[in-house]
Amino acid sequence: MSLIEIITDDVSKKRLHETIKKQMIDSNEIIYINEENIENMKNIKFETTIINSKIKDIEKIKKNIDNSRNLIINLENNVNIKEIVENKKMITYGYNSKSDITISSVKEEQLILYIQRNLISIFNRKIDIQEIKVNMSNS
């Protein structure tokens, strides 16, 4: 079993939790935290840390990053985090053109994700440059 840390705000937490429940991520344990309680988690080793919300104090999160094997970072709000990351498998996402994964098109019921670089997933699978259609309906 892997331990996954998601650093996010309350609104995103609810949406992520609903989506993750639908998709059921194998046997992983997920912990949601925010910047206020992040120091309580600094000595826990995580398989993956997902940084979804803006981090105001990057030094405050450095220990969490050091204790995590993989990073998934929303670059929209956290461009500076890449500067303190060393020797980590990292995937970035957001509207930022420097993100590994971005949105290339949005329509009423569908969006298209664009994987801009060849990536190695946190499960060690190769992901080639490609566009992926995502259905946005509520069903």
Side-chain angles (χ1 to χ4, degrees):
M1 178 178 85
S2 298
L3 189 56
I4 299 172
E5 167 186 47
I6 300 178
I7 303 168
T8 193
D9 55 69
D10 289 336
V11 174
S12 294
K13 175 185 172 181
K14 183 178 179 189
R15 292 173 62 209
L16 285 167
H17 186 68
E18 290 170 3
T19 303
I20 290 169
K21 270 189 352 190
K22 288 179 188 174
Q23 300 298 319
M24 290 310 289
I25 302 179
D26 298 329
S27 61
N28 296 302
E29 186 68 32
I30 298 172
I31 296 175
Y32 295 93
I33 65 172
N34 56 40
E35 193 167 5
E36 287 75 44
N37 62 13
I38 199 164
E39 289 194 21
N40 298 336
M41 303 293 173
K42 68 182 177 187
N43 294 320
I44 298 174
K45 296 217 181 271
F46 292 97
E47 178 71 20
T48 302
T49 294
I50 301 170
I51 303 173
N52 187 54
S53 62
K54 182 171 179 59
I55 303 299
K56 295 174 190 134
D57 185 353
I58 293 176
E59 285 303 312
K60 194 177 193 180
I61 196 172
K62 183 152 177 37
K63 184 75 171 171
N64 295 66
I65 290 171
D66 291 343
N67 283 338
S68 185
R69 209 168 123 209
N70 306 300
L71 292 172
I72 301 174
I73 301 174
N74 180 340
L75 273 190
E76 284 307 299
N77 302 317
N78 297 297
V79 176
N80 297 334
I81 287 180
K82 287 180 83 169
E83 296 170 7
I84 66 166
V85 174
E86 298 174 15
N87 303 318
K88 300 287 178 203
K89 191 179 296 183
M90 180 171 49
I91 298 174
T92 61
Y93 68 95
Y95 290 105
N96 186 317
S97 64
K98 295 181 180 180
S99 296
D100 297 321
I101 302 170
T102 190
I103 295 175
S104 64
S105 173
V106 178
K107 296 182 182 174
E108 192 171 318
E109 296 281 326
Q110 166 186 313
L111 63 85
I112 298 177
L113 292 178
Y114 179 40
I115 300 175
Q116 300 192 87
R117 297 168 217 358
N118 291 328
L119 303 172
I120 302 298
S121 78
I122 59 174
F123 304 109
N124 287 322
R125 286 181 270 180
K126 184 179 179 210
I127 303 169
D128 292 325
I129 295 171
Q130 62 184 297
E131 289 188 322
I132 301 169
K133 291 181 185 179
V134 178
N135 184 3
M136 297 299 293
S137 67
N138 289 332
S139 53

